[in-house]
Amino acid sequence: MAVVVSLCVGRFSVSAGRALEILGSAIVNPGRTIEAMDERIVLLVRAPRVIISAMAGAALATAGVALQGVFRNPLVSPEVLGISQGAAFGGALAITLGIWGVPLLAIVFLSGFSAPVFVGLLARIDGRTEIITVILSGMVVGSLFSAMVSLLQFIADPNSSLPAIVYWLMGSFATATWDRVLVSVPGLMIGIGLLWALRFRLNVLSLDDAEARSLGANPDRERWLVFALVALIVGCQVAVSGIVGWVGLVIPHAARLIVGYDHRRLLPATAILGAAFMVTIDTLARTITAAEIPPGVLTAIVGAPVFALLLRRHFRDKEAR
């Protein structure tokens, strides 16, 4: 439903029947010439935007639920490990240097992946890695990358690269094209697919480390595999649409209310809700005002109050035990 609405609404409205007819014709005859205005809007403007926003929402929500399972903490998201901030630094650096396309994606991925590597080095004390030290190390690494992004904004050209960095950091799907779909979607699908393949392991990792080892798991090694997949997802998403926060924190809680805590059901439910949420947010971002609102602003408006409620409930339940 969210996808059909997003294809239809905007400054140039298209009826649902006409939008589905255009999509059907494009699938049956992909090489035909696109001439009519409504066909160009649906196929060249809105369809790639819907695909990227849906995949970004599904992937970020899946990454969030995987991290929350690994850390056994419902308040964890990619931002807590500094992955989003690391990817933001890579993107800001690439824009400052005038790098776009696949090289930008590579820089964003490497920078985002470096964050959990630094976190792992900082958090490993006396040969052991405690969850609390991982979270604290993530906050340190995230703050460092945020400071480096601020430094790049300070030295960026105020007439060219600085506006591009600021707008990109707020997140936007306005530049979605079929080329960007080809750049980002394969990585997002690989990340989601491999996390889905680890669904049984995520159930085991949600237990205490001693219990997980007794069931044959290697918690340290498998946690790092999850971190690498989350870095891949965040890198691919940030490269094409900038920073879009809160999705990985809020959506998993909504999915748990519907299907419970078993990752075999929780992962697909989270992905579907994340996709629907992100497409809806993007549709609102480009329709509720004359000028497009960055989706990251709307997700923050929704996510911040929900996070405050979750934080209060988390500490209230902790005190009640």
Side-chain angles (χ1 to χ4, degrees):
M1 179 63 75
V3 169
V4 174
V5 172
S6 186
L7 289 172
C8 297
V9 302
R11 293 184 182 179
F12 188 97
S13 298
V14 180
S15 67
R18 177 60 178 157
L20 294 175
E21 180 187 351
I22 292 171
L23 288 179
S25 299
I27 293 172
V28 172
N29 185 11
R32 69 191 181 88
T33 303
I34 301 172
E35 295 180 348
M37 178 63 77
D38 54 356
E39 291 182 332
R40 295 179 66 84
I41 289 173
V42 171
L43 294 179
L44 301 182
V45 178
R46 292 179 186 166
R49 183 166 184 156
V50 167
I51 291 174
I52 290 181
S53 60
M55 288 302 303
L60 290 174
T62 303
V65 78
L67 287 178
Q68 290 171 10
V70 165
F71 284 108
R72 304 189 293 275
N73 189 321
L75 303 180
V76 172
S77 68
E79 290 83 2
V80 172
L81 286 178
I83 298 174
S84 296
Q85 295 90 329
F89 168 72
L93 179 64
I95 293 173
T96 303
L97 298 176
I99 298 172
W100 297 92
V102 174
L104 183 145
L105 175 62
I107 294 173
V108 169
F109 172 71
L110 292 174
S111 182
F113 188 74
S114 69
V117 172
F118 290 140
V119 169
L121 294 174
L122 287 175
R124 195 165 184 81
I125 300 174
D126 295 334
R128 295 184 304 153
T129 304
E130 301 291 340
I131 287 180
I132 185 64
T133 60
V134 172
I135 294 176
L136 292 175
S137 300
M139 295 174 65
V140 171
V141 171
S143 298
L144 178 61
F145 275 120
S146 295
M148 294 169 72
V149 170
S150 298
L151 178 62
L152 286 175
Q153 290 178 293
F154 180 74
I155 64 176
D157 186 337
N159 297 316
S160 57
S161 55
L162 179 58
I165 292 173
V166 172
Y167 191 72
W168 181 78
L169 288 176
M170 288 191 292
S172 175
F173 297 101
T175 58
T177 62
W178 287 111
D179 288 339
R180 293 196 169 212
V181 170
L182 294 176
V183 167
S184 64
V185 168
L188 295 175
M189 292 183 68
I190 290 171
I192 294 174
L194 292 178
L195 286 176
W196 163 248
L198 292 171
R199 59 194 182 280
F200 296 104
R201 290 292 181 182
L202 289 173
N203 279 341
V204 174
L205 293 173
S206 299
L207 305 172
D208 182 77
D209 279 5
E211 292 181 82
R213 288 193 177 90
S214 70
L215 294 173
N218 184 332
D220 284 343
R221 184 186 64 195
E222 288 162 9
R223 275 194 201 109
W224 285 108
L225 178 57
V226 172
F227 295 166
L229 295 175
V230 172
L232 171 65
I233 286 173
V234 174
C236 292
Q237 179 269 314
V238 171
V240 296
S241 53
I243 301 294
V244 180
W246 299 98
V247 179
L249 180 63
V250 173
I251 297 302
H253 293 281
R256 284 192 193 93
L257 293 175
I258 299 172
V259 300
Y261 287 79
D262 189 335
H263 287 87
R264 291 174 296 179
R265 296 188 298 272
L266 183 57
L267 281 169
T270 303
I272 292 171
L273 283 179
F277 174 74
M278 201 66 256
V279 171
T280 302
I281 286 290
D282 183 51
T283 303
L284 292 173
R286 62 183 177 81
T287 57
I288 58 178
T289 61
E292 182 169 327
I293 302 172
V297 174
L298 294 182
T299 57
I301 291 174
V302 174
V306 173
F307 180 76
L309 292 174
L310 292 172
L311 197 61
R312 287 177 60 85
R313 192 174 73 174
H314 175 76
F315 283 106
R316 187 176 61 235
D317 294 344
K318 192 174 180 180
E319 291 177 357
R321 290 172 190 166

